[in-house]
Amino acid sequence: MGELAAASKVHVMVSYWWSRGDSLANYQLGQILTRAAGVDEADITDSQSIDRALRIAVADPAVLAELDQWWQMVETRRAGNTTRNPGLGLERSIRYLTDRLDAVTVTPEALGECRRQVAAVDQTITGAKDLPELAHPDAEMLDLLARYREARSRVLALA
């Protein structure tokens, strides 16, 4: 594989695995990119910042090799499971459910929307059950899951 093709593949794979939201792995990526891009700190929460830093980083063969190892390590750590960290969208889902359930009147349409949201979140959580975020949850994830459980229970109670 040519240098340009290798750099392109690593850029795409690192971007993809970054987007899965593995906090520990992304912290490590931030450290690599900060060193490589020559900036004070790469913003690992911003896709444009990651993309800019990656364009700079893959031009250096040593950093390219380190990034190639990084994405393979993340793929292994997550056992190839491509499910995003469920914690990334859980706050938004909880807010969506509670906003609709706290309305003066919960219409049948709103209840149907809530049921679909619960089904989607349940599927994401089930798909991520073996991932580090759920296998070894931190306090923030435990809080989000407890709040989701409450909102979910309210939806199911109205069924």
Side-chain angles (χ1 to χ4, degrees):
M1 183 181 303
E3 286 180 36
L4 186 57
S8 180
K9 177 184 177 186
V10 168
H11 187 140
V12 167
M13 296 306 292
V14 168
S15 293
Y16 177 76
W17 286 107
W18 164 81
S19 73
R20 303 299 84 195
D22 185 322
S23 299
L24 178 59
N26 286 354
Y27 174 78
Q28 294 168 330
L29 175 62
Q31 298 299 306
I32 295 168
L33 293 177
T34 295
R35 279 187 281 113
V39 295
D40 291 337
E41 187 175 323
D43 181 0
I44 61 169
T45 63
D46 178 57
S47 62
Q48 291 179 344
S49 176
I50 291 292
D51 189 56
R52 278 190 304 274
L54 279 173
R55 276 191 249 122
I56 295 167
V58 297
D60 181 334
V63 179
L64 179 64
E66 190 175 3
L67 290 170
D68 192 38
Q69 289 176 339
W70 179 86
W71 78 258
Q72 291 177 48
M73 176 274 304
V74 176
E75 182 179 49
T76 300
R77 173 180 158 84
R78 299 179 79 76
N81 186 334
T82 60
T83 304
R84 284 185 77 213
N85 175 349
L88 297 177
L90 207 46
E91 180 72 42
R92 187 174 57 245
S93 294
I94 294 165
R95 195 169 35 256
Y96 176 88
L97 293 171
T98 56
D99 286 352
R100 273 142 193 83
L101 295 171
D102 290 344
V104 174
T105 304
V106 179
T107 66
E109 293 80 19
L111 184 55
E113 290 173 14
C114 289
R115 286 185 191 135
R116 284 187 290 281
Q117 182 71 24
V118 164
V121 172
D122 285 355
Q123 185 176 15
T124 299
I125 290 172
T126 301
K129 72 182 183 310
D130 296 326
L131 294 178
E133 296 84 13
L134 292 180
H136 308 286
D138 60 10
E140 181 181 355
M141 179 60 83
L142 290 173
D143 178 60
L144 283 170
L145 290 170
R147 290 176 43 225
Y148 171 67
R149 187 183 68 231
E150 290 175 23
R152 181 183 189 275
S153 295
R154 287 179 63 195
V155 170
L156 297 177
L158 293 173

